[in-house]
Amino acid sequence: MILGIDCSEGLNLIFFDKKKILYKYKNNKITNTSEVLVTKIENSLKKIKKDYDNISKIIIINGPGSFTGIRCSVTFAKMMKISLSVPIYGYTKFELVDFFSNSKSTNKNIKKSIFLYYQGEDFFYSRYENYKCISKPEILNISHHNFDNYKNDLIISDNKIFFDHPKIKKNTKKYEIKTIFNYKLENIVELDKFYFQKKYIPQPIYVKNFF
């Protein structure tokens, strides 16, 4: 059984086995992650009549988002690795968007500019090519940013606000392709074996100008 944890915004848990979802919990309003994470996991395990020994892998979403929340989930995963030798994996939301957009795209080599909603007109941004990050994560404001460099990119966002913005609509013909990607923790159920080739200790990603 695999446990997925996303504390980048509130608390989001998923338990699944062989792509079958056993249980999921989501509450984006939780702010005291450090106080409730373990309790929520243990309560969830009880609901599906499992215990910690049944967890074979842990997947952490390590950003972008709440640094404190992500750090709590990483700390929990590290403790599981130490105490029960459970392998842990960390992926950013950007990596998941890149992976799934690759699986659906006919052009695998196209550069992907990914914009994930933060607040107002601000979006977390990163750029990918051939499964590799080629632009470090940062926060961009749509109104104040120059989008001329993305005309040959696949433009991806998780929020319709991005494509409805007058500045984006004005330049929409310049872009190669644009698409909405509805990020949710359940996406990890469909991860390819490619993403489980290497075990490593996840760390919260650093987002330029986030603080």
Side-chain angles (χ1 to χ4, degrees):
M1 178 179 71
I2 299 175
L3 165 61
I5 307 175
D6 182 0
C7 296
S8 62
E9 182 183 2
L11 176 56
N12 196 354
L13 304 173
I14 188 169
F15 298 80
F16 64 97
D17 187 19
K18 297 179 180 178
K19 297 193 176 183
K20 178 182 178 182
I21 297 176
L22 305 175
Y23 182 75
K24 56 184 178 179
Y25 172 86
K26 183 175 183 179
N27 187 336
N28 287 341
K29 295 182 179 180
I30 287 179
T31 56
N32 58 336
T33 312
S34 60
E35 299 173 22
V36 303
L37 177 60
V38 173
T39 301
K40 292 297 182 184
I41 290 174
E42 291 181 349
N43 288 343
S44 300
L45 287 169
K46 289 178 182 177
K47 288 179 183 293
I48 55 176
K49 298 180 180 178
K50 303 286 186 181
D51 56 37
Y52 285 120
D53 290 331
N54 296 116
I55 299 174
S56 59
K57 292 185 183 78
I58 296 177
I59 299 175
I60 301 294
I61 304 302
N62 55 346
S66 167
F67 186 86
T68 302
I70 296 166
R71 186 174 56 189
C72 290
S73 61
V74 169
T75 300
F76 170 81
K78 286 181 179 179
M79 292 302 298
M80 288 291 290
K81 180 179 175 65
I82 293 170
S83 59
L84 295 175
S85 299
V86 177
I88 58 177
Y89 304 80
Y91 306 115
T92 68
K93 294 178 184 177
F94 292 121
E95 287 176 301
L96 293 180
V97 173
D98 176 54
F99 174 78
F100 287 106
S101 60
N102 261 334
S103 65
K104 295 178 181 179
S105 176
T106 55
N107 184 355
K108 306 297 182 184
N109 297 319
I110 192 171
K111 292 183 176 69
K112 289 175 285 296
S113 288
I114 304 169
F115 298 85
L116 303 178
Y117 184 71
Y118 174 42
Q119 61 182 15
E121 294 187 343
D122 293 336
F123 283 75
F124 293 110
Y125 162 76
S126 191
R127 201 177 190 203
Y128 278 74
E129 182 179 18
N130 293 323
Y131 293 106
K132 292 183 179 179
C133 177
I134 58 174
S135 177
K136 291 184 178 180
E138 60 181 310
I139 292 179
L140 299 180
N141 182 279
I142 305 177
S143 292
H144 301 148
H145 189 65
N146 183 352
F147 287 91
D148 290 341
N149 294 329
Y150 309 118
K151 61 182 179 181
N152 295 317
D153 286 15
L154 167 61
I155 307 293
I156 305 172
S157 181
D158 63 343
N159 199 304
K160 197 170 179 290
I161 291 174
F162 181 85
F163 292 114
D164 284 344
H165 191 278
K167 188 171 185 179
I168 303 301
K169 280 187 172 182
K170 181 180 178 181
N171 293 285
T172 188
K173 292 182 180 179
K174 295 181 181 180
Y175 307 138
E176 182 70 21
I177 310 173
K178 59 173 186 165
T179 185
I180 289 282
F181 179 86
N182 183 22
Y183 165 79
K184 49 189 176 182
L185 186 58
E186 292 95 303
N187 296 142
I188 65 175
V189 175
E190 301 298 328
L191 277 176
D192 191 274
K193 289 182 179 178
F194 167 81
Y195 263 59
F196 296 107
Q197 297 295 315
K198 183 180 178 182
K199 294 189 287 290
Y200 68 99
I201 297 176
Q203 301 288 344
I205 62 169
Y206 173 76
V207 178
K208 180 182 176 182
N209 62 10
F210 185 38
F211 300 103

